[in-house]
């Protein structure tokens, strides 16, 4: 059974100024007053579980798609049926985005991420001072706060590049205009936070569901491995990043805590359908938790069908929308004959029998299909995975190949993920083929597997950013993928990427609020 981990707090989002009045108004509570009991500290950290990036997965309207889908639109490999009215989708596909026409969209991301960071900063200052809180619990709460501060900075630095680095609470009007910090220093802070959480937090060594859906040692380590992998890529290109990513990913694997979901007796009970329906699997490292009657997954189940299906009155949702619909160039990364993930009602679907009648429609994400929400409750309570063990295996495979060469260990980790999808292919043959590849050839195979495995988990654009390689496919040869330099490449919508497109513009509203901010290159005119 799920356990509530989220208690919404708004009281301390903005700290009141010191000495504003001789007596505190009863309608206001300053931050230091708030942290009076252990429950105050717990509630503070619980609130961060839903703040910032964690909230990007279930927000959005029936039409707009979720905030987390922005990168997929930017890649040009995903579409939204309502993009005629949802201009952010059109701007990103056409690469016409700028600081003004996308200010509200990017400003929302910026503001919410920094609100989560602010909450974490408050917790990190005041949790240690909370009376009645044991040292071990205080350290655990601070480890969770550091994880979420790192998670939100990880989003910001990849989306916008250099961003203001703020690690202390705002408790006065002094120094409120903070300049952008070099991206390499932001990564250092992310890594420092995560290492502190691992070394000092006393976090559980368990799966995410096995720890009542709270942050674990493996959760922190996986974000750390991912941060090292991105630090090694563009634009930072830290040489030690690949070896560090390899070491951390290897430690997660060797812990023995996690396993890939195995297939059941038939395709209806495949690993991918278990992934779609179950919240309690040993593959899960970090997920956004949703609980019936408390917090639901928003419109996500409604994104599993195109708009036409809502017109038949079949669902509790009045509107369905293929808001993250894969375009042909994305679908063609899969081998339709051998890869189970692209077969009907695995990751995607294009037909369904309802009350004895067959309905056929354009290919839509089946991973978001929630039977109970769609046909009974109108409220999805299926968790959304952010990190799975499959990703740790692929991080390890790529990082080991980059730092140590294409060895049996790297080959084995890639084969673990691929052989589950190519379930009727001989694994030894697969391993032999992978072992004969150059480092570059092997790494490209990892990239292909990342696209196929996480196509509906919102990682495509950040992979393009860090590799600067764009996947190209053809209708004539589905399953074959070639990578080309993203800069100068034309996406499926006829728009050509320039280097500045690899970062989003700093929102115009933020530039107006903070005169110390500067705009990203390429967006000044």
């Amino acid at each position: 059974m799920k356990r509530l981990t989220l208690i919404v707090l708004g009281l301390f989002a903005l700290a009141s100024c010191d000495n504003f009045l001789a007596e505190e108004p009863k309608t206001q509570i300053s931050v230091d007053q708030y942290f009076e009991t252990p429950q105050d500290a717990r509630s503070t950290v619980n609130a961060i579980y839903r703040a910032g990036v964690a909230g990007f997965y279930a927000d959005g309207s029936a039409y707009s798609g979720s905030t987390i889908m922005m990168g997929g639109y930017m890649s040009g490999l995903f579409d939204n049926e309502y993009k005629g009215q949802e201009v952010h989708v059109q701007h990103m596909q056409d690469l016409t985005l700028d600081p003004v026409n996308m200010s509200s969209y990017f400003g929302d991301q910026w503001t919410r991420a920094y609100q989560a960071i602010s909450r974490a900063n408050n917790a990190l200052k005041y949790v240690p001072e909370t009376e009645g809180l044991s040292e071990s619990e205080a350290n655990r709460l601070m480890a969770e706060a550091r994880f979420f501060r790192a998670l939100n900075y990880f989003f910001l630095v990849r989306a916008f590049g250099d961003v203001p680095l703020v690690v202390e609470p705002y408790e006065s009007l002094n120094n409120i205009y903070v300049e952008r910090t070099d991206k390499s220093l932001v990564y250092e802070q992310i890594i420092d936070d995560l290492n502190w959480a691992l070394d000092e937090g006393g976090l559980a060594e368990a799966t995410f569901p096995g720890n009542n859906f709270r942050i674990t040692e493996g959760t922190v380590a996986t974000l750390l491995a991912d941060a090292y992998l991105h630090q090694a890529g563009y634009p930072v290109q830290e040489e030690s990043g690949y070896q560090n990513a390899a070491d951390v990913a290897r430690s997660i694997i060797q812990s023995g805590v996690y396993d890939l979901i195995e297939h059941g007796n038939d395709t209806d009970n495949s690993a991918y359908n278990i992934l779609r329906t179950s919240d309690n699997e040993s593959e899960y490292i970090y997920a956004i938790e949703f609980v019936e009657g408390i917090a639901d997954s928003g419109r996500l189940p409604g994104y599993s069908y195109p708009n036409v299906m809502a017109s038949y009155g079949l669902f509790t949702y009045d509107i369905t929308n293929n808001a993250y619909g894969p375009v042909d160039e994305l679908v063609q990364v899969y081998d339709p004959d051998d890869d189970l993930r692209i077969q009907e009602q695995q990751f995607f679907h294009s037909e369904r029998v309802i009350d004895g009648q067959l309905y056929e429609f354009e290919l839509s994400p089946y991973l978001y299909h929630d039977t109970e929400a769609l046909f009974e409750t109108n409220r999805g309570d299926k968790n959304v995975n952010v990190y799975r063990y499959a990703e740790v295996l692929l991080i390890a495979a790529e990082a080991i190949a980059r730092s140590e060469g294409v060895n049996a260990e790297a080959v084995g980790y890639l084969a673990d993920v691929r052989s589950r999808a190519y379930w009727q292919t001989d694994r030894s043959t697969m391993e032999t083929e992978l072992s004969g590849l150059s480092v570059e050839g092997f790494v490209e195979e990892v990239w292909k597997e990342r696209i196929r495995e996480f196509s509906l988990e919102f990682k495509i654009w950040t992979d393009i950013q860090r590799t600067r390689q764009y996947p190209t496919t053809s209708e004539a040869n589905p399953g074959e993928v070639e990578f080309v330099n993203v800069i100068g490449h034309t996406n499926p919508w006829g728009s050509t990427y320039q280097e500045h497109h690899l970062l989003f513009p700093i929102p115009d509203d933020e530039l107006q609020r903070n005169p110390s901010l500067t705009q990203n290159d390429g967006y000044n005119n």
Side-chain angles (χ1 to χ4, degrees):
M1 179 175 292
K2 292 185 180 180
R3 175 180 175 182
L4 172 63
T5 61
L6 307 169
I7 301 176
V8 177
L9 278 178
L11 292 174
F12 66 95
L14 295 174
S16 62
C17 298
D18 292 340
N19 302 319
F20 181 68
L21 293 173
E23 183 180 48
E24 291 286 347
K26 293 182 180 180
T27 56
Q28 296 183 16
I29 301 178
S30 65
V31 174
D32 57 349
Q33 281 185 306
Y34 182 79
F35 287 82
E36 291 184 345
T37 70
Q39 186 56 45
D40 294 339
R42 296 177 193 125
S43 297
T44 298
V45 174
N46 285 347
I48 316 175
Y49 271 74
R50 183 66 68 189
V53 172
F56 293 173
Y57 289 77
D59 62 3
S61 69
Y63 310 104
S64 66
S66 301
T67 299
I68 200 65
M69 296 175 178
M70 290 280 201
Y73 299 144
M74 191 71 181
S75 75
L77 296 170
F78 293 88
D79 201 9
N80 182 325
E81 285 186 287
Y82 279 95
K83 67 183 178 185
Q85 70 179 43
E86 300 300 325
V87 295
H88 65 289
V89 179
Q90 195 78 58
H91 283 311
M92 299 182 89
Q93 291 176 339
D94 294 345
L95 303 180
T96 55
L97 67 166
D98 64 41
V100 176
N101 64 28
M102 292 292 289
S103 187
S104 63
Y105 297 98
F106 294 143
D108 176 67
Q109 296 175 29
W110 180 284
T111 298
R112 291 164 65 187
Y114 273 109
Q115 286 174 341
I117 290 166
S118 178
R119 291 182 178 185
N121 289 340
N122 285 327
L124 290 168
K125 179 173 181 178
Y126 289 104
V127 164
E129 301 176 6
T130 304
E131 293 184 6
L133 198 65
S134 69
E135 182 179 359
S136 61
E137 185 175 8
N139 285 343
R140 178 181 61 78
L141 291 173
M142 288 191 292
E144 293 179 13
R146 284 181 182 264
F147 169 82
F148 285 111
R149 182 166 72 177
L151 179 69
N152 281 276
Y153 270 125
F154 191 41
F155 171 83
L156 288 167
V157 75
R158 291 182 297 172
F160 300 105
D162 300 347
V163 293
L165 185 61
V166 181
V167 294
E168 296 291 337
Y170 278 113
E171 297 179 316
S172 75
L173 296 180
N174 296 326
N175 302 317
I176 61 173
Y177 300 128
V178 183
E179 296 180 352
R180 299 172 71 183
T181 303
D182 185 270
K183 62 189 74 67
S184 62
L185 298 179
V186 178
Y187 269 102
E188 287 182 13
Q189 181 63 52
I190 292 167
I191 290 165
D192 286 348
D193 273 344
L194 297 172
N195 275 317
W196 189 98
L198 287 175
D199 295 339
E200 307 294 338
L203 295 167
E205 192 172 0
T207 66
F208 191 67
N211 193 44
N212 292 317
F213 306 97
R214 296 195 73 89
I215 301 305
T216 70
E217 184 176 294
T219 309
V220 174
T222 301
L223 178 57
L224 179 59
D226 198 13
Y228 276 134
L229 187 70
H230 279 80
Q231 185 192 42
Y234 291 98
V236 177
Q237 295 184 285
E238 170 58 49
E239 292 183 4
S240 63
Y242 288 121
Q243 186 64 66
N244 290 332
D247 292 342
V248 176
R250 185 182 277 129
S251 73
I252 300 167
I253 295 166
Q254 293 175 350
S255 73
V257 171
Y258 302 98
D259 293 294
L260 291 176
I261 299 170
E262 296 183 355
H263 294 306
N265 295 327
D266 52 42
T267 55
D268 287 341
N269 295 289
S270 69
Y272 308 118
N273 272 311
I274 296 171
L275 172 67
R276 180 180 61 81
T277 57
S278 173
D279 287 331
N280 296 284
E281 303 299 325
S282 57
E283 184 166 340
Y284 303 157
I285 296 176
Y286 171 51
I288 311 301
E289 184 187 6
F290 299 108
V291 183
E292 184 178 358
I294 299 172
D296 65 77
S297 59
R299 302 295 307 199
L300 201 62
Y303 298 153
S304 61
Y305 287 90
N307 178 251
V308 67
M309 288 295 288
S311 66
Y312 303 132
L314 302 169
F315 308 122
T316 59
Y317 289 79
D318 56 342
I319 297 170
T320 55
N321 172 25
N322 195 359
Y324 205 61
V327 305
D328 290 344
E329 287 81 354
L330 187 283
V331 176
Q332 289 159 186
V333 304
Y334 297 96
D335 184 327
D337 297 321
D338 296 329
D339 194 331
L340 180 60
R341 291 168 296 198
I342 195 59
Q343 294 178 28
E344 186 66 29
Q345 294 187 0
Q346 298 300 316
F347 276 0
F348 306 92
H349 64 157
S350 60
E351 61 182 39
R352 187 169 184 88
V353 175
I354 303 175
D355 295 333
Q357 181 172 343
L358 174 64
Y359 295 88
E360 296 179 304
F361 43 86
E362 66 183 37
L363 196 68
S364 306
Y366 192 57
L367 186 64
Y368 311 149
H369 176 90
D370 183 328
T371 299
E372 187 172 346
L374 284 161
F375 295 102
E376 298 177 24
T377 66
N378 194 242
R379 297 177 63 86
D381 67 348
K382 173 69 178 69
N383 292 352
V384 177
N385 285 299
V386 179
Y387 283 119
R388 297 191 278 117
Y389 184 53
E391 186 158 8
V392 173
L393 292 169
L394 294 180
I395 290 173
E398 180 175 353
I400 290 170
R402 287 290 195 192
S403 58
E404 303 171 21
V406 181
N407 57 28
E409 184 183 14
V411 167
Y413 296 149
L414 174 53
D416 285 342
V417 178
R418 181 170 289 183
S419 62
R420 180 170 68 172
Y422 288 72
W423 61 324
Q424 296 178 323
T425 301
D426 180 67
R427 178 177 173 129
S428 62
T429 301
M430 184 183 301
E431 290 181 339
T432 299
E433 293 174 352
L434 293 171
S435 298
L437 297 173
S438 65
V439 170
E440 290 297 330
F442 179 84
V443 167
E444 288 191 1
E445 292 303 314
V446 177
W447 294 347
K448 295 173 189 178
E449 215 54 52
R450 287 184 62 87
I451 299 170
R452 295 164 181 151
E453 184 70 17
F454 309 121
S455 57
L456 298 176
E457 293 177 50
F458 319 115
K459 300 177 187 291
I460 183 70
W461 180 244
T462 52
D463 276 345
I464 291 172
Q465 286 176 300
R466 74 175 175 87
T467 65
R468 293 201 173 185
Q469 295 294 300
Y470 192 95
T472 62
T473 61
S474 70
E475 183 179 4
N477 296 295
E480 295 186 13
V481 184
E482 293 186 4
F483 290 92
V484 300
N485 193 327
V486 64
I487 300 171
H489 179 70
T490 300
N491 72 14
W493 308 98
S495 304
T496 302
Y497 293 99
Q498 300 177 42
E499 185 167 3
H500 71 271
H501 290 130
L502 294 173
L503 293 175
F504 294 154
I506 305 298
D508 186 64
D509 288 347
E510 295 302 323
L511 293 172
Q512 299 299 321
R513 293 188 186 103
N514 181 0
S516 294
L517 291 179
T518 56
Q519 184 55 266
N520 281 326
D521 291 343
Y523 290 111
N524 289 305
N525 296 321

